[in-house]
Amino acid sequence: MIGRLNHVAIAVPDLEAATAQYRDTLGASVRAPQDEPDHGVTVVFIDLPNTKIELLYPLGENSPIAGFLEKNPAGGIHHICYEVEDILAARDQLKAAGARVLGTGEPKIGAHGKPVLFLHPKDFNGCLVELEQV
């Protein structure tokens, strides 16, 4: 069902500093910040040869990332994202297997302009999993 690793998302308390660290210290190709109000985040994508890193910073008062940073003030890995060919078929197969889909269970449009869903971390060894249709 799952395809390649699309990205690893890291919540950061200082987006400018984290962006500079990847760009200046590690020499990575860093994209411009992108506000995603439907998800309550500002994202910066870092392109790597085999995948991407997604830096997450809170946007708005109800940002889920704000809560994550309250518990993890230094930041940390927030989720991993896998690609799927058919997000609805993947959702249905996962639900039938007992996995919990977060939110309404209906895909939202993610930062790449494609449908995404999140799966409960308690069902995946403590890791929040995002699925993105490609």
Side-chain angles (χ1 to χ4, degrees):
M1 175 194 325
I2 64 172
R4 64 185 288 272
L5 174 68
N6 184 279
H7 65 266
V8 175
I10 303 172
V12 298
D14 184 334
L15 188 59
E16 288 182 27
T19 300
Q21 183 180 45
Y22 275 89
R23 182 187 57 238
D24 303 336
T25 305
L26 295 173
S29 172
V30 175
R31 298 188 207 173
Q34 176 180 327
D35 288 344
E36 293 294 332
D38 288 348
H39 297 277
V41 296
T42 299
V43 301
V44 169
F45 281 102
I46 298 159
D47 296 311
L48 303 176
N50 59 342
T51 192
K52 293 180 282 296
I53 300 293
E54 179 185 42
L55 301 178
L56 301 172
Y57 184 76
L59 176 66
E61 294 178 15
N62 297 322
S63 172
I65 299 306
F68 182 91
L69 289 171
E70 284 176 19
K71 295 175 190 161
N72 307 278
I77 294 176
H78 183 262
H79 68 266
I80 57 174
C81 177
Y82 298 112
E83 296 177 353
V84 295
E85 289 185 20
D86 183 334
I87 200 159
L88 295 178
R91 176 200 62 195
D92 294 345
Q93 182 178 346
L94 286 159
K95 285 175 76 173
R100 290 171 280 180
V101 177
L102 298 178
T104 65
E106 292 302 315
K108 286 186 173 183
I109 299 301
H112 296 115
K114 298 177 183 175
V116 299
L117 288 171
F118 286 88
L119 306 174
H120 201 293
K122 288 184 179 177
D123 297 335
F124 293 92
N125 305 294
C127 184
L128 179 63
V129 173
E130 178 182 17
L131 300 179
E132 178 177 291
Q133 183 169 292
V134 293

